[in-house]
Amino acid sequence: MIKVTFINADGDVQEINGVEGQSLLDIAQAAGQPLEGTCESQMACSTCHVIIDKDWFDKLPRSVEDEEDMLDLASGARRTSRLSCQIILTPDLDGLVVHIPAESRNMQGL
Ligand code: FES
């Protein structure tokens, strides 16, 4: 099991267990986190945007240019932003901490 801690904009903490090969988006959605993932991991939306805890950001495989382009469009994006659909769980990521941007609450009403 690979444990990921999700922290939402209100500071609520949820620990979610995933297995190797699942995406961060998959486990977040399965646990009811408010990430839409509209384009089904095609890097054509930014509704799966999350902010990686700064201590973890450099441990992730680097993003490709298409991902960077989508993040430029994501509201509330920060230096440690990533698209959660592009982050595949590996044992190295056990203990990962991820923040859900406040904006994802607003997107749910669209
Ligand atoms: Fe659209 Fe991740 S689900 S970019």
Side-chain angles (χ1 to χ4, degrees):
M1 280 294 185
I2 299 164
K3 189 184 82 181
V4 181
T5 300
F6 286 86
I7 304 172
N8 74 15
D10 294 330
D12 293 337
V13 175
Q14 185 180 23
E15 290 186 350
I16 304 173
N17 287 316
V19 295
E20 187 168 5
Q22 284 186 299
S23 76
L24 204 51
L25 178 63
D26 286 341
I27 66 165
Q29 285 184 329
Q33 289 287 340
L35 295 176
E36 283 191 25
T38 312
C39 78
E40 298 180 342
S41 310
Q42 300 301 305
M43 281 195 277
C45 73
S46 56
T47 60
C48 64
H49 166 219
V50 295
I51 298 163
I52 306 296
D53 197 82
K54 63 178 174 1
D55 291 341
W56 279 93
F57 185 73
D58 290 335
K59 296 178 184 154
L60 297 177
R62 294 189 66 86
S63 50
V64 298
E65 203 177 318
D66 283 349
E67 182 179 346
E68 293 294 328
D69 288 347
M70 287 317 305
L71 285 170
D72 285 344
L73 304 176
S75 58
R78 309 206 196 148
R79 193 185 66 81
T80 60
S81 290
R82 291 296 302 265
L83 297 177
S84 60
C85 68
Q86 299 303 310
I87 297 174
I88 305 300
L89 296 183
T90 61
D92 287 352
L93 297 185
D94 187 32
L96 179 66
V97 180
V98 177
H99 299 263
I100 305 286
E103 288 76 9
S104 32
R105 269 185 312 207
N106 304 334
M107 285 192 296
Q108 288 215 300
L110 294 178

